[in-house]
Amino acid sequence: MDIINDITYDTLKVRFEDDICFLQIYRPEQNNTINDRLIEEFKLVLDKCEEDAKIIVLEGLPEVFCFGADFKAIQEETGGDISQQERNPGALYDLWSRLASGPYVTIAHVRGKVNAGGVGFVAACDIVLCEDKTIFSLSELLFGLMPACVLPFLIRRMGFAKANYLTLMTQPVSAQQAIEWGLADACEENSKNLLRKHLLRLRRLNKTGIKRYKKYMNTLDDFPEVSKADAIAGNIEVFSDEENINKIKRFVNTGKFPWESE
């Protein structure tokens, strides 16, 4: 639990160094997966960053940056009175849109494994730095799902063909491959040093200049709003499919993938 300015964070660790916000996804017991609480807390941090930060550094754990949706939480919801139609994928989409278009420079500092929705966080950031052992993957189609909300951000960053290939193959790719495809910008064995070097340069920018630049860039690329309705509809469709939900439940209960026998 982290407390910043009288706000208690259960899923994040947050610290400010002058006008730089270091925001760490911190759910170690849940493999740094995404739940509703994380989204709510993340938005509170971004609210503060609107005026107080010119740079946001998004980090995860050394072993896993973010591993996507919290399947256990989804299982609990679908086992109760909450239907998948009542889920709001738009909240996460809006969060990524704010990372992509907000009045600050966003840096994803990625270590360990990053999968599914975790790739959404990465693709939404302005700059992506990683250690040379980082592994990126999209596993959704293995469960009959699809990265509907991730893809608009991913296509914007790495292009349609490579985003399509990464989605269809569901295989992890290395940091070097991610750089060649445009998903990451730079990697080093010591990614903390790589981050330090970038921050030394970015500190020279002022908040007003960044704000004006990001506002201008938003006029050149209106993809978040144009793609939002289709992305949300696609997400709701696959998460409303009973067969897909059963695959998720089985995986949570047994650890077995859909193609594995009982």
Side-chain angles (χ1 to χ4, degrees):
M1 182 180 295
D2 208 8
I3 303 175
I4 303 292
N5 294 336
D6 298 324
I7 299 176
T8 300
Y9 299 106
D10 297 321
T11 67
L12 304 172
K13 286 190 174 183
V14 183
R15 78 179 192 276
F16 282 82
E17 293 183 6
D18 298 323
D19 49 9
I20 299 178
C21 174
F22 291 85
L23 195 167
Q24 181 186 26
I25 299 173
Y26 191 77
R27 302 189 72 217
E29 296 180 0
Q30 291 79 29
N31 206 29
N32 255 23
T33 50
I34 305 165
N35 66 353
D36 290 341
R37 179 67 173 168
L38 185 146
I39 296 171
E40 293 168 4
E41 293 182 350
F42 209 117
K43 288 184 175 181
L44 291 175
V45 177
L46 292 187
D47 288 343
K48 180 173 176 55
C49 289
E50 290 281 332
E51 297 299 328
D52 296 345
K54 67 181 181 183
I55 301 170
I56 298 174
V57 178
L58 175 58
E59 301 178 296
L61 300 170
E63 301 81 16
V64 56
F65 175 79
C66 174
F67 214 67
D70 187 339
F71 276 2
K72 184 175 181 181
I74 292 174
Q75 182 198 33
E76 291 172 353
E77 289 182 2
T78 56
D81 296 329
I82 302 176
S83 70
Q84 284 302 311
Q85 287 87 342
E86 292 172 325
R87 289 179 57 82
N88 181 21
L92 183 57
Y93 191 94
D94 289 342
L95 177 57
W96 292 337
S97 293
R98 292 183 68 180
L99 282 174
S101 60
Y104 28 63
V105 178
T106 50
I107 303 174
H109 176 212
V110 189
R111 295 174 293 168
K113 297 180 289 186
V114 54
N115 179 59
V119 175
F121 277 108
V122 171
C125 288
D126 295 312
I127 297 172
V128 179
L129 310 175
C130 61
E131 64 179 8
D132 57 8
K133 296 181 293 185
T134 299
I135 297 295
F136 300 82
S137 60
L138 290 175
S139 62
E140 286 90 339
L141 277 178
L142 295 174
F143 294 88
L145 309 173
M146 61 180 169
C149 290
V150 173
L151 278 168
F153 299 89
L154 192 62
I155 290 170
R156 177 177 180 246
R157 172 161 270 278
M158 62 189 297
F160 184 94
K162 294 304 182 186
N164 183 48
Y165 184 82
L166 191 63
T167 302
L168 289 173
M169 294 306 297
T170 69
Q171 289 182 322
V173 298
S174 67
Q176 189 58 49
Q177 189 70 73
I179 289 176
E180 291 176 9
W181 288 356
L183 178 55
D185 296 303
C187 74
E188 282 186 9
E189 181 179 359
N190 184 351
S191 60
K192 288 185 178 181
N193 185 56
L194 181 64
L195 174 62
R196 181 188 64 81
K197 290 187 290 186
H198 278 72
L199 289 178
L200 283 174
R201 188 71 185 181
L202 290 168
R203 284 179 189 271
R204 299 179 181 181
L205 307 180
N206 63 59
K207 175 73 172 179
T208 301
I210 293 170
K211 186 175 182 178
R212 287 172 176 163
Y213 168 71
K214 292 294 289 284
K215 181 180 179 181
Y216 170 69
M217 290 297 285
N218 293 339
T219 66
L220 300 180
D221 189 354
D222 59 357
F223 86 95
E225 287 305 314
V226 170
S227 304
K228 181 178 177 180
D230 289 336
I232 291 173
N235 182 281
I236 291 175
E237 179 182 6
V238 294
F239 275 100
S240 300
D241 188 308
E242 185 176 356
E243 181 179 350
N244 293 343
I245 296 302
N246 288 334
K247 291 175 183 177
I248 292 173
K249 290 180 178 180
R250 179 176 181 263
F251 179 76
V252 170
N253 292 329
T254 68
K256 292 184 177 180
F257 288 97
W259 65 85
E260 296 180 304
S261 59
E262 295 291 346

